[in-house]
Amino acid sequence: MILKTSLPVILGYLPVGMTFGLLAHQEMFPLHVAMSLSLFVYAGSAQFIAITFLSHPPFSLFQVFFTIGLVNLRHFMLSLTYLPKTKEWKWWEKVRNFFFLTDETFAVLINEDQVNKDADKSFLVSIINFGAWNLGTAIGHLGGRFIPDPKLFGLDFALTALFLGILALFIKTKAHFLTFCGSIFLSVVFYGYLDLGKNSLIVAALLSSLLGFLWEQRRV
Amino acid sequence: MGTTTSVALAIMVMVVATQVSRLGPLMLSEIKFSKSFEKWLSHVPIGILAALIIPEFISRGERGFEYNYLFIVATVLCFTLGVKTRNLMLTTTVGVIVVALLRYSGLF
């Protein structure tokens, strides 16, 4: 039952984890840095964003905190939604399990009440998913050394392509698409035309998310 | 990459930034957030991811900035494919192949 619950996540985490390892290798991250990100941060899109930060020093810690925090803010709703399922758990079991609550783990757990009533079973699902992600990262990083020149294969586009793929998964409504277009427009204006630097990208992101959200509210 | 210390610090900051959201709700289990807040949250990662790809398309020279047309064309193709298939691996792989092909087509 536990393995059955985890299987879709394993199938997704192995290849995407490998992509992360490969990109980290391509940006000259040593294995221990790539693994530290997967072991301790363990948050898909945030880790890919981490690559863009860490590969372009100097970066401000405030900027890192703000960007990663905002991207992961949606986990807040996931945790909040999962919380009622865990009423019978001890407090330390909650802390232990929620630490590993990614989008995908949440997605497979939320409707598995047979698993959720036992904190250890839920933890096992989380840990198997975590293992798949880290195994993928290691394989990707170690495999990376067999690829000579990334530019030769268009691999310098891989991170952008991956972001676009993740974006496509997040975009579910017209309002989401408006946020996407608005963010691109504002970012080109702020970062390109006005040359306001990388922090202005976060401002563009926040403004466009508000724009998309407000447009969505206006229609109902 | 940055220095070892700055990278280690950044990773620690990322752990905190991630866990604030994951573990935070354990402390305020009784508070109910409005549907609107939840709706807005679904827009935030889209805004951020879209903004973060922009520096890939714009390179700064001495006279203002230049667009990277190769990446822009690849992005349009890649994004369309992503929306149509909703397949992360396929989108990434095709994107990379498209860039490689366009680069050797001599168009860019």
Side-chain angles (χ1 to χ4, degrees):
Chain A
M1 184 171 60
I2 286 162
L3 209 59
K4 208 185 102 214
T5 311
S6 269
L7 194 65
V9 184
I10 298 175
L11 292 179
Y13 274 11
L14 277 175
V16 181
M18 279 167 66
T19 313
F20 173 74
L22 188 66
L23 287 171
H25 182 270
Q26 191 186 310
E27 294 291 344
M28 319 280 227
F29 286 33
L31 181 64
H32 69 269
V33 174
M35 288 314 295
S36 299
L37 284 164
S38 283
L39 286 168
F40 305 125
V41 183
Y42 186 44
S45 4
Q47 279 181 235
F48 288 104
I49 293 171
I51 294 186
T52 60
F53 274 121
L54 297 181
S55 57
H56 295 94
F59 42 82
S60 87
L61 289 178
F62 173 76
Q63 200 181 35
V64 171
F65 181 81
F66 205 65
T67 315
I68 302 293
L70 269 174
V71 170
N72 284 332
L73 204 54
R74 67 179 192 288
H75 285 148
F76 200 88
M77 297 318 291
L78 303 186
S79 286
L80 212 58
T81 313
Y82 191 55
L83 201 56
K85 307 268 180 193
T86 66
K87 284 219 170 75
E88 310 293 316
W89 299 4
K90 295 180 189 71
W91 71 267
W92 58 267
E93 289 174 328
K94 290 186 190 175
V95 173
R96 178 194 65 179
N97 292 16
F98 276 65
F99 189 93
F100 298 97
L101 199 65
T102 57
D103 296 296
E104 292 75 12
T105 302
F106 168 84
V108 294
L109 279 177
I110 191 69
N111 290 317
E112 288 287 342
D113 288 333
Q114 286 292 97
V115 175
N116 292 333
K117 66 182 178 195
D118 185 340
D120 289 335
K121 281 186 182 161
S122 165
F123 183 59
L124 213 53
V125 171
S126 305
I127 280 298
I128 292 173
N129 298 350
F130 177 71
W133 178 252
N134 279 281
L135 182 64
T137 305
I139 296 174
H141 193 280
L142 296 172
R145 62 191 64 184
F146 298 108
I147 298 172
D149 179 14
K151 228 179 170 175
L152 207 66
F153 299 102
L155 274 173
D156 50 333
F157 186 67
L159 192 58
T160 308
L162 186 87
F163 276 15
L164 291 164
I166 299 174
L167 272 163
L169 294 181
F170 274 126
I171 295 175
K172 295 187 179 109
T173 64
K174 276 186 186 160
H176 286 153
F177 187 65
L178 181 68
T179 299
F180 172 70
C181 296
S183 179
I184 287 185
F185 176 76
L186 289 175
S187 302
V188 170
V189 173
F190 292 173
Y191 183 83
Y193 285 88
L194 302 175
D195 195 14
L196 297 174
K198 284 231 162 121
N199 277 325
S200 71
L201 293 174
I202 303 303
V203 180
L206 281 176
L207 282 178
S208 59
S209 71
L210 269 176
L211 175 80
F213 165 71
L214 289 175
W215 188 75
E216 187 174 56
Q217 296 299 300
R218 183 190 63 100
R219 289 177 67 225
V220 277
Chain B
M1 226 176 52
T3 62
T4 312
T5 325
S6 70
V7 169
L9 269 174
I11 291 178
M12 275 187 253
V13 164
M14 288 180 215
V15 175
V16 176
T18 304
Q19 293 304 331
V20 163
S21 292
R22 277 189 202 157
L23 298 179
L26 296 180
M27 279 170 254
L28 26 95
S29 52
E30 297 307 311
I31 298 174
K32 224 26 200 145
F33 281 90
S34 71
K35 265 265 176 287
S36 311
F37 180 68
E38 206 173 326
K39 282 231 166 92
W40 171 66
L41 275 187
S42 77
H43 287 268
V44 173
I46 299 173
I48 291 187
L49 286 168
L52 284 176
I53 57 177
I54 296 304
E56 300 292 328
F57 304 136
I58 295 174
S59 47
R60 292 217 145 268
E62 281 168 14
R63 288 170 294 137
F65 66 96
E66 280 173 11
Y67 288 113
N68 180 343
Y69 291 105
L70 168 65
F71 276 18
I72 292 178
V73 171
T75 291
V76 174
L77 291 173
C78 207
F79 181 70
T80 315
L81 182 74
V83 171
K84 290 252 189 284
T85 64
R86 307 215 167 252
N87 184 331
L88 198 56
M89 281 319 287
L90 183 77
T91 309
T92 313
T93 315
V94 172
V96 167
I97 295 172
V98 163
V99 165
L101 288 178
L102 285 176
R103 200 168 264 152
Y104 293 106
S105 71
L107 285 169
F108 294 92

